[in-house]
Amino acid sequence: MFAREGVLALIDPASLPAGARAGLRIGRLLERPTGEGAAVRLAAALTRLGPAYVKLGQFLATRPDIVGATLARDLETLQDKMAPFPQAAAEFAVENALGKPVRSLFASFGPAVAAASIAQVHRAEVATAQGHRPVAVKVLRPGIERRFGVDLGAFYFAARNAERRSMEAQRLRLIEVVETLARSVAIEMDLRLEAAALSEMAENTIEDAEFRVPAVDWNRTGKHVLTLEWVDGTPLSDHVALKSKGFDLEHLARAVIQTFLRHALRDGFFHADMHPGNLFVDDEGRLVAVDFGIMGRLGPKERRFLAEILYGFITRNHYRTAEVHFEAGYVPPHHSIESFAQAIRAIGEPIHSRMAEEISMAQLLKLLFEVTGLFDMRTRPELLLLQKTMVVVEGVARSLDPKLDMWKTAEPVVREWVERHLGPAGRLEEAAGGASEMGRFLSGVPALLTRAANLVDELDAITRNGLVLAPETVRALGAAEGRRRRWKTAALWVIVALLTWLTLLG
């Protein structure tokens, strides 16, 4: 399949031994003639191989550190459009998942309106007191779990053999790549988890004026079926329709960027597949996102890292930007902050001499990761997913407004986060959180000491009753007694330190 589609053109013959070069030449004789590039051919080959390989290609598009930036960008064009499975099979899957006949669950259940590698979507209606309410029903492909299990087994086999034979494969951590893909697919194949992601984002964004998500119908949702509010919005990619309805495309472009940054920084939970096909505009002008199968999370440290990096570039504070990398532990401490700041300045300064439409935050992060590689900064998967999503989001925004000033658009959201979390109010919250943790520790100390004392009493009772112990047991008890005494000493020092601290506070 790969030979026929021309994927072998991606392999550099100079990197192969003589025998392998001959095999490569023979394999390329099978190529079908086409004017398409090798990366496009790879996408075609993956599509022909089936849904698991399509998902592998989509996943590799998020890992430019493994396949390279050019190939990752080309794989983003991979079409995940599959032939729908039969209507009868879909209805059977719904009944099997929800335990009721389709007719009792829905007033109507139409044919598939979209089909992807893992599931397809049907338009249906639910009877209510006010009439019929339209819903979207996402149904998992029958047998998809078994199919993915077989294909993942093949991926594991290939990765293990590659790592045994190649240092480069070990560097790329191919087994870890397959493990990550397996976890991602497992989450996508349990539609209850997608429903939970929708519910969580709905709670996070309940007060957002420019963004919302479809409501989940939990009574008609299970592991293999997800029922949502039907979105009757205008696709964000349909610029003509948006203009005809009076929507301001420049405003929508700013909303896309600010919404994504707000979710990443404020909530640490963002939609990681925000391409135009997953974004709509409702009649009130709000962005509506669908397809929550791929989500990204950032912990407090990663959020602070992102905010301070962006803020440092906005304010041209390159030294602070460098410090953030060291504080987060992303750059080993044996490197010089001054040297790292110099490297960051080489990236940041050219930005301020360019027109707004030439400045790209996604490109900035890409260059930043390239430079940090020189300073032994290890790959952070969550930051790579963030970078990949930012590339897509930025592309969507620029398609709406080619002259969009990315930094001016991002600054209010970034500044708000910095002032909220790193200003006086944030410092007080951080101190209060530390005091709360200390309080929980103090409340647990008496219980720890009580358990230690009870253990000593039990040992004393055993020996008083004249139990004869083996020499090995005596030695073990002696070691335990030594540890107990050390623990008591340590506990006393902790208590003294805490009392001293509390006295000073008083």
Side-chain angles (χ1 to χ4, degrees), residues 81-235:
K81 295 179 180 178
M82 311 290 289
F85 54 87
Q87 178 79 3
E91 294 184 9
F92 178 79
V94 170
E95 293 178 348
N96 191 50
L98 302 180
K100 294 180 181 179
V102 169
R103 290 184 180 181
S104 69
L105 291 164
F106 303 100
S108 66
F109 192 87
V113 295
S117 59
I118 287 181
Q120 64 187 34
V121 178
H122 295 254
R123 191 182 192 279
E125 290 182 323
V126 174
T128 67
Q130 293 75 32
H132 288 174
R133 171 171 58 88
V135 293
V137 184
K138 187 173 183 177
V139 186
L140 211 66
R141 284 184 174 273
I144 193 68
E145 292 165 306
R146 181 193 58 79
R147 172 73 182 272
F148 264 98
V150 172
D151 289 341
L152 284 172
F155 296 164
Y156 273 118
F157 177 80
R160 282 194 296 267
N161 279 278
E163 288 202 10
R164 275 200 295 266
R165 291 170 170 77
S166 168
M167 292 296 293
E168 180 67 9
Q170 292 176 24
R171 185 186 69 81
L172 294 176
R173 297 178 293 178
L174 294 184
I175 294 176
E176 184 179 324
V177 169
V178 178
E179 289 172 348
T180 305
L181 174 63
R183 287 193 297 270
S184 172
V185 168
I187 291 173
E188 285 194 70
M189 286 194 294
D190 189 339
L191 298 182
R192 295 170 300 186
L193 298 180
E194 182 174 345
L198 275 155
S199 178
E200 182 176 349
M201 182 154 279
E203 290 179 3
N204 291 343
T205 61
I206 192 169
E207 296 183 1
D208 290 3
E210 297 182 321
F211 181 86
R212 74 178 184 89
V213 299
V216 177
D217 185 340
W218 286 101
N219 292 326
R220 296 174 178 84
T221 292
K223 184 176 181 181
H224 296 159
V225 176
L226 168 63
T227 303
L228 301 171
E229 164 195 359
W230 181 264
V231 176
D232 255 332
T234 305

Side-chain angles (χ1 to χ4, degrees), residues 1-12 28 31-32 34-46 70-72 74-75 77-78:
M1 181 66 69
F2 285 128
R4 182 175 180 275
E5 293 295 335
V7 177
L8 299 181
L10 289 168
I11 302 174
D12 180 11
R28 295 201 61 181
E31 286 183 18
R32 62 184 181 89
T34 175
E36 296 174 336
V40 176
R41 291 180 169 196
L42 175 59
L46 292 172
T70 302
L71 185 56
D74 291 334
L75 282 174
T77 65
L78 186 67

